[in-house]
Amino acid sequence: MDKRTHDKNRHTIPPAEKIIALAGNPNVGKSTIFNSLTGLNQHTGNWPGKTVSNARGKYTYENQTYTLVDLPGTYSLMAHSAEEEVARDFLCFDYPDAVVIVVDATCLERNLNLVLQTMEICPQTILCVNLLDEAAKKHITVNLPELEEQLGIPVVGAAARNGKGLEELMAAIAHITQSNQKAAPLKIPYLEPLETAINMLTPAIEYHIQGLNSRWIALQLLGDDKILWEKIAVLAGEDFRKDPTFAPLLAQANDLLTAEKISLDARKDMITAAYISKGEQIYHETVTISNENYAKFDRKLDKILTSKTWGIPMMILLLGIIFWLTIVGANYPSQLLSKFFFSAENWLLSIANTSNLPLWFTDLFICGVFRTLGWVISVMLPPMAIFFPLFTLLEDLGYLPRLAFNLDKLFKECHACGKQALTIC
């Protein structure tokens, strides 16, 4: 039986279609690739039980239909936010036939963290190195064959805005989903105590559950991710942590780490450090920068905008300016729009009186609908027309990630993350 038939969220997708997950960090061109491949053949909605939106679309390549699922943009799969949880759960429990991870060629080192995490969950992974045209402008060269050799997965270069690399990407997806050859992605090495504990658990895990990477499940067990474990137990049909043959192994692995003074938080730090360390190594071996000073100005900005001394004051100043422009600046266009709509209302009333229109018609459509419309547009449109372009400008200039970084520590104190600062703003 096709394991996909067990998934209640995928009953609308015919088994003949191939399901491709599209993952990546925010602002790497993921949506551009999604829109280019699916065109108008797409729809949006919300993930079950979440307010996080999703987009699904279809495209056909060599007489095969593919359903492309655009996952929320995330920097990690550690599930510190709803977006990360949605992306991780889809990769774990919705059985995509392949995963395409889109990365930014101009900042590959940061993007590799998500790539390495995804490869541990889904071996059938394709890496799409996007924005190669922007990388060329900054004198950055990515050795794609070497990157493919290092990661052990197919790598495709692209400049999606110009339509370059999309044909090669579709060919890579077709190959990985239709060939019988199993992928052999890079196995992330962890520090010795953690690696020993993982190896103690993986044989028993493979006995109890199939379809998920046993090393990855071992990491979740040792990291004590209770929410994720509940979902894994449902998939396995049992909580095999309590199995008489498995429970002693888990206890022995935890005792080993405890004896090495490796707490739960330390284990999570070790896992994260392994991803970052391996990502740095691969980056330095596959990326060449001809102009080492290309990011010099950004580094200077970072020292000011994210420093302990000036980061918060600069943030308050910038947000204060935007707030002032939004509130005070909106008064002038609001007054102009208000005058326009009330002049138009008086003109419509004079026409209604001249035409002897019924009083109920005048009250309903002119004094009611039109007047309300005029008030809403006069009051709401100017602030929105000022606020959103200004925030878009801050995002394009790269300040919003710095804002999230500045507030991340404060937000973590209340069990949130820095990205939620944007919602507060």
Side-chain angles (χ1 to χ4, degrees), residues 1 70 75 95-96 141 152 209 266 279 297 349 353 417:
M1 181 181 293
D70 188 11
Y75 294 101
Y95 304 112
T141 304
I209 186 171
F297 180 71
L349 286 172
N353 292 332
C417 65

Side-chain angles (χ1 to χ4, degrees), residues 140-409:
I140 299 174
T141 304
V142 182
N143 188 335
L144 298 180
E146 177 62 24
L147 187 59
E148 184 171 308
E149 178 69 22
Q150 292 264 3
L151 294 174
I153 60 174
V155 176
V156 177
R161 284 180 299 187
N162 304 324
K164 296 180 179 178
L166 297 180
E167 185 70 24
E168 291 82 355
L169 178 59
M170 288 189 289
I173 293 172
H175 176 74
I176 201 171
T177 56
Q178 297 180 30
S179 68
N180 294 322
Q181 182 179 358
K182 289 188 176 181
L186 170 73
K187 187 171 79 171
I188 310 300
Y190 298 97
L191 293 179
E192 185 55 37
L194 185 58
E195 191 70 44
T196 302
I198 292 170
N199 292 333
M200 290 169 61
L201 298 177
T202 49
I205 291 173
E206 290 172 358
Y207 173 79
H208 284 278
I209 186 171
Q210 289 78 40
L212 286 178
N213 187 310
S214 57
R215 282 176 59 84
W216 183 77
I217 294 179
L219 285 172
Q220 311 318 308
L221 278 169
L222 295 171
D224 198 29
D225 189 332
K226 293 182 174 61
I227 296 176
L228 178 60
W229 181 253
E230 290 176 2
K231 298 175 181 178
I232 293 175
V234 170
L235 180 66
E238 61 171 335
D239 187 350
F240 57 81
R241 290 179 302 177
K242 301 174 183 177
D243 185 271
T245 59
F246 186 83
L249 286 174
L250 181 58
Q252 188 179 350
N254 281 316
D255 289 343
L256 170 66
L257 295 175
T258 302
E260 295 288 340
K261 298 182 179 179
I262 302 175
S263 63
L264 284 176
D265 288 337
R267 297 174 199 181
K268 294 174 183 178
D269 290 341
M270 289 173 67
I271 295 169
T272 303
Y275 292 133
I276 294 173
S277 175
K278 195 63 182 178
E280 287 178 351
Q281 176 194 332
I282 294 172
Y283 172 80
H284 290 299
E285 293 178 2
T286 58
V287 176
T288 304
I289 302 176
S290 302
N291 180 13
E292 294 290 345
N293 295 322
Y294 85 96
K296 190 175 182 179
F297 180 71
D298 286 344
R299 298 293 176 264
K300 288 182 178 179
L301 277 180
D302 283 340
K303 288 183 179 179
I304 298 173
L305 298 177
T306 62
S307 72
K308 292 182 178 180
T309 304
W310 297 106
I312 299 297
M314 288 295 294
M315 177 196 71
I316 294 173
L317 177 63
L318 281 172
L319 294 181
I321 291 172
I322 291 178
F323 182 74
W324 183 83
L325 287 174
T326 301
I327 301 302
V328 177
N331 288 334
Y332 301 102
S334 183
Q335 290 173 2
L336 292 174
L337 286 170
S338 180
K339 288 179 180 178
F340 168 77
F341 278 105
F342 278 106
S343 298
E345 181 184 332
N346 292 331
W347 177 69
L348 291 173
L349 286 172
S350 65
I351 292 177
N353 292 332
T354 304
S355 304
N356 294 319
L357 292 176
L359 183 61
W360 67 266
F361 182 89
T362 303
D363 288 345
L364 177 61
F365 290 101
I366 299 177
C367 297
V369 175
F370 185 81
R371 181 179 293 177
T372 303
L373 179 66
W375 271 112
V376 171
I377 293 177
S378 300
V379 174
M380 297 298 296
L381 181 60
M384 293 171 65
I386 293 173
F387 175 81
F388 285 107
L390 286 175
F391 245 58
T392 301
L393 179 63
L394 287 184
E395 183 174 13
D396 291 342
L397 293 175
Y399 181 70
L400 293 192
R402 293 178 170 105
L403 169 67
F405 174 81
N406 286 335
L407 294 176
D408 187 60
K409 185 176 181 180

Side-chain angles (χ1 to χ4, degrees), residues 22 28-38 42 70 102:
L22 190 63
V28 295
K30 189 162 55 72
S31 297
T32 302
I33 292 175
F34 177 82
N35 293 332
S36 298
L37 293 181
T38 61
Q42 54 185 260
D70 188 11
V102 184

